[in-house]
């Protein structure tokens, strides 16, 4: 029998270094030697033949009439931004990784990038793809290995093989035992697990437990009891100084060789249903917390194969994704989670139910601080409280791509890419900006996506809309939503394009002054024209302003103004809308709708005498320096 394992001995020593938490580096992943893949079809067949020649395990091996491939281990080679986005849109199961599965990882960090790739060329992407899933078109790939993954580790993609293997599915525990024996032999052939682990003792325990259950006529369905899963939890922050949680970040358990293991309900012959769903992938909550539930039997094998957390810039529900200069998905791999002692015996299967990794800090250098700020802004717009505004499209050809450059440029939103290729829709050039500006500009560019989505039913409606309308709406959403996260946020405006009309329609009356270049000549030597007006309109809401933008035919500044006026008859300040719109569409001069008369000169203040010694009162004589005393 193996020794009992406790939670503290399960967690890798790296995660126990201090009470304050563990720092995950964002340095480049460093790979070690190439490993032999135990799931390779030829290896599995050899393992089965070995078992058939071993009298101890021969009975179990006979339950496999044949072994056929269930997956293909594939290396995809996208060459361009468009091809990278084809891959991301295809990957609805989150199979892809730029780090190959069959290498040692000597140093964890941001996902691996092959040397000698050209700038801007996406990294190769690796995946174990189930054989019944169609591959993406227009992207070159090579099949590295045919793979066999036993159904204990991936029943959802191994249904056909399960039907072939067993005449009777009643006792799934016995079927899983056969898989365990086969896996142990494959691990032994490839030397992929720690040599201190006694495989024979491990299998003896499983065989004894299964025999005992059969004698007592107990049918065991793994995962039906709450205590047969382990909850892996923790909190993820960036910026160690301020403990800034990352809301909505995808956290996935990935094991070496396997990548992401899928476990879902399925029907087999006899309408057999696996009564549990594995949760190997989740998103952090508002506090940066994550919880992953994994059956102990599967976690056992993931521990043997050395597994880690993968922290990804893929938004929930595939709504959006964050990529870098090279069109690679932002992704960070943690060090392995478990120590070499984390091979469970039957006692631990009954006792350990939680692995709490504590606080995980992403050592956020300037570029990752930039990436995570963009992610936070996008997540807020898609899933946060945005006061009733329309959200950006959640299925923009299966996900919207935000590409974050570290080179100088101008952030843009490009909606001409509505083809099969579908490159990045938003290009961010805010590296080096402070977090508030990066957040605000991300909101601004996503507002263009929301605007496009609102009017897309009319062909080219967004493209035909005047720039002063599209940019003014985006500036309004930028101001409105950024202030919900950063209450002190203020922004500048430009008459004729990036106007402040939305803010003026919403906030209280004030004097507005803007300084703009001569139109059509935004040069440093151009004349700067200052114009002011008394903003007297107030009381509108951002959803009301947006609703007018949805109206049929609103492609001009004037049409937008008319719709806002007509749709809000109860606003007592709407008579001033025209004045505000005229100001923001003015360049050289501006005349208000009504110039109030000058205020009369107030009378001089009344002089109240002040007492002096003796009870007398004195006051200054008008027009002199003398004082008169009473």
């Amino acid at each position: 029998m193996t020794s009992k394992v406790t939670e503290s001995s399960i967690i890798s020593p790296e995660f126990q270094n201090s009470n304050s938490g563990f720092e995950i580096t964002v340095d480049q992943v460093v790979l070690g030697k190439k490993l032999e893949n135990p799931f390779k079809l030829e290896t599995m067949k050899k393992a089965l033949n070995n078992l058939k020649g071993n009298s101890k395990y021969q009975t179990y091996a006979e339950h496999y009439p044949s072994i056929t491939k269930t997956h293909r281990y594939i290396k995809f080679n996208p060459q361009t931004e468009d091809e990278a986005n084809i891959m991301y849109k295809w990957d609805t199961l989150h199979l892809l990784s730029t780090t190959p599965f069959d290498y040692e990882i000597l140093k964890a960090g941001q996902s691996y990038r092959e040397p000698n790739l050209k700038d801007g060329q996406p990294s190769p992407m690796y995946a174990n793809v189930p054989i019944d899933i169609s591959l993406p078109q227009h992207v070159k790939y090579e099949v590295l290995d045919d793979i066999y993954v036993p159904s204990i580790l991936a029943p959802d993609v191994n249904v056909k093989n399960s039907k072939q293997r067993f005449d009777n599915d009643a006792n799934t525990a016995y079927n899983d035992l056969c898989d365990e024996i086969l896996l142990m032999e494959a691990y032994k052939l490839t030397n992929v697990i720690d040599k201190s682990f006694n495989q024979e003792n491990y299998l003896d325990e499983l065989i004894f437990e299964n025999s005992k259950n059969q004698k007592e006529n107990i049918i065991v369905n793994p995962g039906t009891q709450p205590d047969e899963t382990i909850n892996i939890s923790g909190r993820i922050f960036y910026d160690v100084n301020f403990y800034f949680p990352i809301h909505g970040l995808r956290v996935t358990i990935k094991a070496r060789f396997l990548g992401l293991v899928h476990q879902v309900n399925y029907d087999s012959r006899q309408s057999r249903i696996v009564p549990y769903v594995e949760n190997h992938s989740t998103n952090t909550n508002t506090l940066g917390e994550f919880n992953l539930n994994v059956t102990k039997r599967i976690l056992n094998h993931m521990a043997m194969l050395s597994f880690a957390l993968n922290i990804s810039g893929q938004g929930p529900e595939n709504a959006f994704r964050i990529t870098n200069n090279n069109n690679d998905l932002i992704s960070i791999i943690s060090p392995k989670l478990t120590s070499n002692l984390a091979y469970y015996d039957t006692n631990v299967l009954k006792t350990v139910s939680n692995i709490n990794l504590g606080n995980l800090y992403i050592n956020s250098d300037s570029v990752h601080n930039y990436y995570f700020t963009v992610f936070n802004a996008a997540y807020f717009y898609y899933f946060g409280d945005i006061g009733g505004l329309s959200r950006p499209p959640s299925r923009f050809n299966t996900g919207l791509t935000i590409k974050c450059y570290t080179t100088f440029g101008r952030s843009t939103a490009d909606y001409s890419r509505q083809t099969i290729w579908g490159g990045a829709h938003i290009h961010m050039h805010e590296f080096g900006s402070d977090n508030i500006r990066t957040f605000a500009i991300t909101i601004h560019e996503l507002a263009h996506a929301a605007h496009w989505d609102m009017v897309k039913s009319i062909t080219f409606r967004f493209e035909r809309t005047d720039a002063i309308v599209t940019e003014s709406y985006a500036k309004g959403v930028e101001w409105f939503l950024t202030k919900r996260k950063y209450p002190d946020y203020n922004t500048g405006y430009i008459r004729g394009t990036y106007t402040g009309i939305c803010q003026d329609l919403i906030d209280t009356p004030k004097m507005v002054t803007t300084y703009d270049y001569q139109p059509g000549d935004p040069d440093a030597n151009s004349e700067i024209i200052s114009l002011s007006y008394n903003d007297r309109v107030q009381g509108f809401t951002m959803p009301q302003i947006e609703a007018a933008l949805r109206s049929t035919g609103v492609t001009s500044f004037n049409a937008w103004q008319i719709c806002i006026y007509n749709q809000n008859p109860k606003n007592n300040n709407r008579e001033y809308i025209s004045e505000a719109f005229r100001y923001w569409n003015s360049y050289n001069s501006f005349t208000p709708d009504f110039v109030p008369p000058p205020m009369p000169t107030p009378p001089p203040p009344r002089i109240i005498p002040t007492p002096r010694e003796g009870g007398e009162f004195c006051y200054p004589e008008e027009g002199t320096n003398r004082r008169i005393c009473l």
Side-chain angles (χ1 to χ4, degrees):
M1 294 287 181
T2 57
S3 59
K4 182 176 179 181
V5 183
T6 63
E7 179 182 345
S8 60
S9 62
I10 288 174
I11 301 175
S12 179
E14 291 95 330
F15 287 93
Q16 303 180 50
N17 62 345
S18 71
N19 294 327
S20 61
F22 175 76
E23 188 173 276
I24 299 175
T25 180
V26 292
D27 295 337
Q28 195 76 52
V29 162
V30 177
L31 298 182
K33 65 180 180 180
K34 192 177 189 303
L35 304 171
E36 189 175 354
N37 192 337
F39 297 96
K40 189 174 179 179
L41 183 60
E42 289 79 0
T43 301
M44 282 291 182
K45 287 182 175 180
K46 184 177 180 180
L48 182 60
N49 287 333
N50 288 354
L51 294 175
K52 289 180 177 179
N54 186 325
S55 59
K56 185 174 182 179
Y57 302 119
Q58 184 177 11
T59 303
Y60 305 101
E62 290 174 352
H63 280 267
Y64 295 88
S66 64
I67 286 181
T68 59
K69 66 180 177 183
T70 59
H71 298 66
R72 289 177 290 175
Y73 178 34
I74 298 178
K75 179 182 180 181
F76 296 94
N77 293 289
Q79 300 298 306
T80 65
E81 175 183 323
D82 292 333
E83 291 183 7
N85 279 281
I86 289 174
M87 294 304 306
Y88 296 134
K89 292 170 184 179
W90 168 81
D91 188 28
T92 57
L93 294 178
H94 310 293
L95 299 171
L96 293 174
S97 171
T98 57
T99 303
F101 299 157
D102 51 353
Y103 279 80
E104 282 185 328
I105 295 180
L106 300 181
K107 185 177 183 181
Q110 60 177 308
S111 56
Y112 177 71
R113 181 166 174 80
E114 287 189 359
N116 304 321
L117 291 176
K118 297 178 181 178
D119 290 343
Q121 180 181 347
S123 295
M125 303 177 190
Y126 300 84
N128 281 337
V129 183
I131 58 174
D132 57 349
I133 292 182
S134 299
L135 300 180
Q137 298 179 347
H138 309 292
V139 180
K140 293 181 180 180
Y141 67 88
E142 55 182 309
V143 178
L144 302 179
D145 286 315
D146 288 332
I147 299 296
Y148 173 76
V149 180
S151 60
I152 187 177
L153 296 182
D156 59 319
V157 294
N158 204 2
V159 175
K160 295 179 181 178
N161 190 272
S162 295
K163 291 179 181 178
Q164 294 172 359
R165 280 173 45 205
F166 302 111
D167 295 328
N168 184 357
D169 287 338
N171 193 332
T172 59
Y174 184 77
N175 300 339
D176 290 345
L177 175 61
C178 296
D179 283 345
E180 291 271 10
I181 294 171
L182 179 64
L183 285 168
M184 287 299 109
E185 184 64 23
Y187 296 163
K188 184 168 67 174
L189 287 173
T190 52
N191 296 312
V192 296
I193 61 176
D194 192 89
K195 293 181 180 180
S196 64
F197 175 57
N198 192 318
Q199 293 174 303
E200 188 171 358
N201 284 356
Y202 172 78
L203 290 178
D204 286 346
E205 287 187 5
L206 295 180
I207 292 171
F208 174 79
E209 189 73 19
N210 183 268
S211 176
K212 177 182 175 183
N213 290 336
Q214 285 186 331
K215 288 179 181 179
E216 297 176 4
N217 198 27
I218 298 174
I219 296 178
V220 180
N221 290 298
T224 57
Q225 300 299 323
D227 63 351
E228 292 191 0
T229 63
I230 287 184
N231 176 264
I232 300 176
S233 60
R235 299 178 70 188
I236 298 180
F237 300 86
Y238 76 94
D239 194 334
V240 178
N241 295 322
F242 296 99
Y243 301 90
F244 201 93
I246 311 174
H247 188 191
L249 201 62
R250 179 175 294 281
V251 181
T252 304
I253 296 178
K254 290 195 175 184
R256 194 168 60 195
F257 305 115
L258 287 173
L260 173 63
V261 178
H262 292 278
Q263 288 275 78
V264 298
N265 290 351
Y266 72 97
D267 291 310
S268 182
R269 188 170 60 83
Q270 305 294 331
S271 298
R272 170 186 168 221
I273 297 177
V274 175
Y276 61 93
V277 177
E278 288 289 351
N279 180 15
H280 292 176
S281 184
T282 189
N283 295 93
T284 53
N285 63 17
T286 54
L287 299 176
E289 298 169 337
F290 64 89
N291 286 278
L292 295 152
N293 294 307
V294 188
T295 57
K296 297 178 180 181
R297 192 62 65 94
I298 288 179
L299 188 61
N300 184 19
H301 285 274
M302 297 181 88
M304 293 179 191
L305 298 173
S306 179
F307 72 102
L309 294 181
N310 181 268
I311 302 165
S312 166
Q314 177 78 52
E317 303 172 17
N318 287 344
F320 66 90
R321 65 187 65 86
I322 311 296
T323 63
N324 61 18
N325 275 356
N326 296 312
N327 306 295
D328 295 336
L329 183 69
I330 302 304
S331 181
I332 297 174
I333 300 173
S334 77
K336 68 176 184 178
L337 299 183
T338 55
S339 69
N340 291 334
L341 297 176
Y343 304 122
Y344 312 139
D345 59 19
T346 53
N347 291 324
V348 175
L349 288 175
K350 299 174 183 177
T351 57
V352 176
S353 60
N354 294 285
I355 299 177
N356 189 338
L357 301 175
N359 293 331
L360 310 180
Y361 301 104
I362 296 176
N363 178 11
S364 195
D365 59 4
S366 57
V367 68
H368 279 78
N369 183 65
Y370 167 41
Y371 295 151
F372 290 134
T373 301
V374 172
F375 183 94
N376 269 335
Y379 183 87
F380 177 65
Y381 205 154
Y382 272 96
F383 301 101
D385 179 6
I386 57 173
L389 291 181
S390 299
R391 299 188 189 277
S394 59
R395 291 293 179 190
F396 218 176
N397 281 347
T398 315
L400 182 146
T401 300
I402 305 174
K403 184 176 179 179
C404 296
Y405 295 83
T406 54
T407 54
F408 178 77
R410 179 171 172 265
S411 297
T412 59
D414 181 3
Y415 301 100
S416 63
R417 293 177 170 272
Q418 303 310 304
T419 67
I420 187 173
W421 305 105
H425 299 95
I426 292 177
H427 297 255
M428 295 292 296
H429 287 272
E430 298 302 322
F431 180 58
S433 299
D434 63 72
N435 286 0
I436 297 178
R437 174 178 167 81
T438 299
F439 187 98
I441 297 302
T442 305
I443 295 293
H444 180 105
E445 301 305 336
L446 285 170
H448 287 310
H451 187 177
W452 178 91
D453 196 50
M454 285 189 290
V455 300
K456 67 180 180 182
S457 60
I458 303 174
T459 304
F460 296 118
R461 162 85 175 272
F462 179 82
E463 289 77 7
R464 292 199 304 265
T465 302
D466 293 343
I468 190 174
V469 177
T470 59
E471 297 299 349
S472 295
Y473 169 74
K475 285 298 288 185
V477 174
E478 170 196 325
W479 169 78
F480 179 71
L481 293 186
T482 304
K483 283 189 75 70
R484 294 175 83 90
K485 296 292 285 187
Y486 301 95
D488 296 331
Y489 175 71
N490 286 300
T491 184
Y493 299 109
I494 300 175
R495 299 189 307 275
T497 49
Y498 297 83
T499 78
I501 186 64
C502 294
Q503 180 176 345
D504 285 358
L505 292 175
I506 295 170
D507 64 5
T508 56
K510 60 187 180 300
M511 182 61 66
V512 175
T513 301
T514 53
Y515 304 87
D516 291 343
Y517 291 113
Q518 183 73 20
D521 188 19
D523 188 89
N525 298 319
S526 301
E527 178 186 0
I528 296 178
I529 301 174
S530 170
L531 288 181
S532 300
Y533 94 113
N534 183 20
D535 165 29
R536 294 180 287 175
V537 66
Q538 63 176 322
F540 289 91
T541 67
M542 198 64 213
Q544 288 174 336
I545 298 169
E546 179 184 272
L549 199 62
R550 292 173 176 269
S551 301
T552 303
V554 176
T555 58
S556 69
F557 209 47
N558 186 56
W560 193 17
Q561 166 196 329
I562 293 171
C563 283
I564 294 174
Y565 182 90
N566 290 338
Q567 291 177 6
N568 299 280
K570 295 183 179 181
N571 190 305
N572 297 327
N573 290 275
R574 67 179 186 151
E575 61 184 296
Y576 301 119
I577 289 178
S578 174
E579 182 179 56
F581 271 83
R582 282 194 306 104
Y583 170 79
W584 285 111
N585 205 18
S586 300
Y587 287 102
N588 296 314
S589 62
F590 171 75
T591 303
D593 290 346
F594 171 72
V595 179
M599 294 292 292
T601 304
R606 180 184 176 189
I607 300 174
I608 301 176
T610 56
R612 70 172 186 177
E613 290 184 8
E616 297 177 322
F617 288 84
C618 298
Y619 62 93
E621 183 179 358
E622 186 175 355
T624 70
N625 293 325
R626 293 182 300 169
R627 292 169 59 82
I628 299 175
C629 297
L630 302 178

